[in-house]
Amino acid sequence: VLDAGCGNGLSVDLLAAAGYEGWGVDSSPLRRWQWRERAQRRRLAVADVRTLPFLSSSFDAVISSGVVEHIGVVEQRSDSGRYSVTGSPARFDERVRFLAELLRVLRPGGTLFLDAPNRLFPIDFWHGDEPGQARWHSWREPFLPSARELTRIVRATGMAAEIRFLSPRGRLRFGQVRRWWYGRLLAPLAAAALGLMSLPGLRWMTRTALNPYLVAVIRKK
Ligand SMILES: C[S@@+](CC[C@H](N)C(=O)[O-])C[C@H]1O[C@@H](n2cnc3c(N)ncnc32)[C@H](O)[C@@H]1O
């Protein structure tokens, strides 16, 4: 299993504990400091997810969590800690290149799990001035992906793959957002809504503005 954009690399240790051979890459050299704490640190490498140092069809599964939104954008934090983001004109093409690379290293019949905040949902709890803080944004902001954009990106890779979306129930634990009063107020409601979205007849809701976080399951044919 490859974790593309693995951050602190904890997933690779968790995968090993569960009996899987996990590998992780991240483009930030600073992550090496965190990786020193990992038992499986020899399976963690600094690399860009658009040019992976692995042979084609090497992995049964690929995970990429909270990474696609960072491809093809410029993010900044001002001296006062204010977060801002702008999209590059080549954003779509760069994301196609990213997805094509993840699908290249995945074997036919393998599964890519990709997740990111939903562009259609008006509040972004992941990229604010402080962890978990609400950041209001327009659906026109060229940053977070929508289900439609991810579907178009997969198609544009030209690779035979099918995409579907799951409810983020169980994926989101509302840990950081509960630091804020509105998070504590809304978390039980949100948990109930995500439970509803996981019902087979209501999965269509995962692709709408009602869902804060996209969880895409992409199967390579
Ligand atoms: C929000 S963090 C998510 C980390 C981890 N996947 C997790 O769920 O905890 C995004 C990570 O993607 C990495 N990243 C962003 N662009 C990347 C790229 N082009 N290639 C590899 N890693 C990238 C960043 O360095 C950062 O560690």
Side-chain angles (χ1 to χ4, degrees):
V1 179
L2 171 68
D3 188 350
C6 63
N8 64 19
L10 183 61
S11 59
V12 174
D13 274 1
L14 294 174
L15 283 164
Y20 295 96
E21 184 185 324
W23 291 78
V25 296
D26 198 283
S27 59
S28 169
L30 296 177
R31 293 292 188 182
R32 282 207 184 106
W33 296 100
Q34 292 173 318
W35 297 346
R36 290 193 306 190
E37 292 168 24
R38 303 277 96 87
Q40 303 293 324
R41 54 190 163 276
R42 275 192 235 127
R43 293 203 183 140
L44 290 159
V46 173
D48 193 295
V49 286
R50 286 162 292 192
T51 47
L52 290 169
F54 298 107
L55 295 174
S56 300
S57 304
S58 301
F59 295 95
D60 295 315
V62 177
I63 305 165
S64 193
S65 181
V67 180
V68 64
E69 68 271 33
H70 299 286
I71 305 291
V73 299
V74 180
E75 295 168 272
Q76 281 174 324
R77 200 168 282 282
S78 71
D79 291 344
S80 61
R82 267 206 104 65
Y83 173 85
S84 65
V85 59
T86 43
S88 94
R91 181 176 56 99
F92 184 80
D93 293 342
E94 284 194 43
R95 290 180 180 185
V96 171
R97 196 170 144 212
F98 162 60
L99 257 288
E101 187 63 351
L102 296 189
L103 288 171
R104 179 186 69 77
V105 299
L106 185 65
R107 69 162 168 81
T111 305
L112 161 61
F113 297 92
L114 189 135
D115 62 45
N118 182 8
R119 181 206 284 219
L120 299 188
F121 192 77
I123 315 170
D124 175 359
F125 293 105
W126 291 267
H127 307 95
D129 297 342
E130 304 262 356
Q133 189 177 19
R135 187 182 71 89
W136 291 86
H137 64 95
S138 147
W139 60 268
R140 286 166 193 251
E141 182 187 63
F143 175 40
L144 304 175
S146 63
R148 199 165 161 208
E149 182 190 346
L150 287 180
T151 307
R152 282 181 56 220
I153 291 171
V154 169
R155 223 173 273 148
T157 64
M159 304 185 73
E162 62 192 27
I163 181 167
R164 65 196 168 91
F165 293 88
L166 298 181
S167 164
R169 187 175 76 129
R171 173 70 188 82
L172 300 184
R173 299 202 185 162
F174 311 105
Q176 291 195 325
V177 80
R178 276 209 179 94
R179 295 170 55 183
W180 304 88
W181 65 266
Y182 44 80
R184 290 190 287 279
L185 196 72
L186 293 175
L189 276 177
L194 302 190
L196 275 180
M197 279 178 213
S198 65
L199 299 174
L202 295 177
R203 289 226 184 102
W204 57 269
M205 288 167 70
T206 58
R207 299 189 300 273
T208 70
L210 298 169
N211 178 20
Y213 200 79
L214 298 172
V215 177
V217 180
I218 301 162
R219 210 180 69 82
K220 181 173 170 182
K221 291 184 186 162

